[in-house]
Amino acid sequence: MDRIQIRGGNRLNGSIQISGAKNAALPLMIVSLLTPETLTLSNVPRLADVRQLQRILQNHGVDIMVAGKRPGQNGHSGDTKQLSARTIADTTAPYELVSKMRASFWVLGPLLGRCGEAKVSLPGGCAIGTRPVDMHLQAMEALGAEIAIEGGYVIARARHGLKGAHIAFDKVSVGATHAALMAAVLAEGDTIIENAATEPEIGDVATCLVKMGARIEGIHTTTLRVRGVTSLHGTEHSVIPDRIETGTYAMCAGMTGGDVTLKGADAGHLGAVLDVMRQAGIGVDVTNEGLRIRRNGQALEPVRVETQPFPGFPTDCQAQLMALMTMANGTSMIRETIFENRFMHVQELARLGAEIQLHGDTAEVRGVKKLTGAPVMATDLRASVSLVIAALAAEGETTINRVYHLDRGFETLEEKLQACGADVSRISGN
Ligand code: EPZ
């Protein structure tokens, strides 16, 4: 298993190209199931999760061709993928494939919409909380599907096709909103999705669906209105920049001091994160190229933050912010409201000398003057990268084990950090 070694203390200076958003690329690839024509996606990040979803889609009969791009070409660093689901060869998404990545469960809606049936393995537990799928099933049932759960599989049927419906979610769910939207576009009649998530990745998927012939109103709002169509056609679409990757490198820059430009970043997707960074005393400027993040000797100020659905502070940046606040000039309070168990990084940050106490869903982070390198373990994607942030500022060497978590969601992390002067290397093997 690969490890990442970081010798802390270098200020980051330079520029980092932001990749396409993982959490937009995954549902966009799933959208390809909705049409027999070719969907061409550009700026698709080269990530383990993308490769895993590719296997799942291929199992359903999707042909996928990849044309690479050189880093920096056309401002993009990712792949261009052509996905063609001329026929759906298999409506089953097996346990062996779905259990590796939760988002693959989202094939349920499009398979039902296109084929009237789907058998999809329940995604199973996940390190950051219980993460049920009841709201996904609620949406499918509202659209007229009959649902049974047998042997760990969701078996869904809509013998006479899906029918438009009024879906009102009790709480905000990114995945359930994707599922409802992807199923409703081919349903007969009108669907209203209330209390929809407004994360930019959902807007990106909805925009792509409209290019494919879907009729959707209210994109980027909490009420989506869909008028079902009988078929969708192919299109070309470029994946939006990754706001979580942007926030992560912004915190790397803030943690080490220095001056980093995040090329291609979209500040409009990061309002709450940038506000918090400014409160922490970090310079944030929106430029023609993206975002410029600076801290030149100013102290890091503590903050009080709670995670919220968009446009609030994202849970996917919570661990990174906590790493940043370990060296703040005072005590920060960070409350996690989305997932009940997203604090695995706390123990690992403590190994570097961080002082963090948990009080239920709130972490009290007492800033320390210095962190010291140590061996640590990556536990999930965002927790892992929080260790990278802390290690960049720690004295001495930190070795991060189990970095396959990082590879799920950060494209060429070491190279991007090295280019700005960080002392980071990957050690392959055991
Ligand atoms: C998406 O997960 C993201 N994944 C997550 O990113 C992100 O943390 C999360 O949204 C919140 O922003 C992808 O986009 C691939 P949810 P998702 O449904 O859709 C509860 C990362 O690191 N819930 O919005 O699975 C759920 O338990 C990942 O990139 C139900 O109760 O999250 C949670 O408490 C991790 N029933 C809350 O809703 C359901 O049927 C929000 O989860 C569905 C969800």
Side-chain angles (χ1 to χ4, degrees), residues 28-324:
L28 282 166
M29 288 170 70
I30 291 174
V31 159
S32 69
L33 289 168
L34 287 165
T35 174
E37 297 184 16
T38 301
L39 173 63
T40 302
L41 297 176
S42 56
N43 201 29
V44 179
R46 297 183 179 106
L47 298 170
D49 271 8
V50 166
R51 289 189 288 276
Q52 179 59 18
L53 181 60
Q54 198 156 313
R55 282 180 211 112
I56 290 162
L57 294 176
Q58 282 165 334
N59 183 61
H60 293 303
V62 183
D63 282 331
I64 303 177
M65 298 228 306
V66 182
K69 276 187 180 168
R70 277 183 227 106
Q73 192 180 353
N74 300 332
H76 295 324
S77 54
D79 283 333
T80 296
K81 286 189 192 280
Q82 292 181 327
L83 301 100
S84 309
R86 271 180 292 279
T87 49
I88 302 293
D90 192 342
T91 54
T92 299
Y95 172 76
E96 303 75 61
L97 295 175
V98 177
S99 57
K100 294 208 173 79
M101 190 184 45
R102 183 179 163 85
S104 53
F105 184 77
W106 300 352
V107 298
L108 181 70
L111 288 175
L112 256 179
R114 172 120 175 244
C115 308
E117 61 168 43
K119 180 177 172 187
V120 181
S121 170
L122 284 165
C126 170
I128 61 175
T130 47
R131 303 183 82 185
V133 290
D134 54 321
M135 293 165 65
H136 296 238
L137 303 186
Q138 173 205 337
M140 297 307 118
E141 279 179 332
L143 292 165
E146 288 164 30
I147 307 269
I149 297 184
E150 283 169 27
Y153 279 81
V154 173
I155 299 171
R157 280 198 192 87
R159 283 179 219 285
H160 307 293
L162 295 174
K163 305 272 186 282
H166 190 154
I167 301 168
F169 287 124
D170 287 340
K171 66 174 169 184
V172 180
S173 161
V174 171
T177 303
H178 277 308
L181 184 62
M182 289 189 215
V185 286
L186 288 182
E188 188 189 325
D190 294 350
T191 297
I192 297 176
I193 306 171
E194 275 188 71
N195 203 16
T198 58
E199 270 64 6
E201 295 76 21
I202 289 170
D204 201 30
V205 168
T207 303
C208 177
L209 285 167
V210 167
K211 287 193 213 166
M212 294 167 73
R215 298 178 65 184
I216 306 169
E217 284 175 14
I219 298 176
H220 302 297
T221 75
T222 55
T223 305
L224 294 168
R225 290 168 195 277
V226 183
R227 175 149 291 183
V229 294
T230 50
S231 64
L232 295 177
H233 51 75
T235 194
E236 292 180 10
H237 187 79
S238 178
V239 179
I240 54 169
D242 196 314
R243 65 194 166 99
I244 306 301
E245 189 197 29
T246 306
T248 301
Y249 288 123
M251 292 191 212
C252 290
M255 185 71 164
T256 60
D259 191 339
V260 175
T261 295
L262 302 172
K263 286 165 74 177
D266 187 336
H269 296 166
L270 277 144
V273 173
L274 300 181
D275 284 350
V276 168
M277 296 199 61
R278 289 188 181 106
Q279 282 166 35
I282 296 166
V284 176
D285 296 300
V286 180
T287 69
N288 289 340
E289 282 188 302
L291 270 174
R292 184 173 173 198
I293 309 291
R294 275 176 297 168
R295 185 167 73 88
N296 267 326
Q298 304 94 318
L300 276 172
E301 297 303 330
V303 295
R304 293 182 86 86
V305 170
E306 68 173 39
T307 60
Q308 287 293 338
F310 191 83
F313 190 92
T315 172
D316 289 346
C317 281
Q318 177 258 109
Q320 298 90 314
L321 177 68
M322 198 177 302
L324 182 67

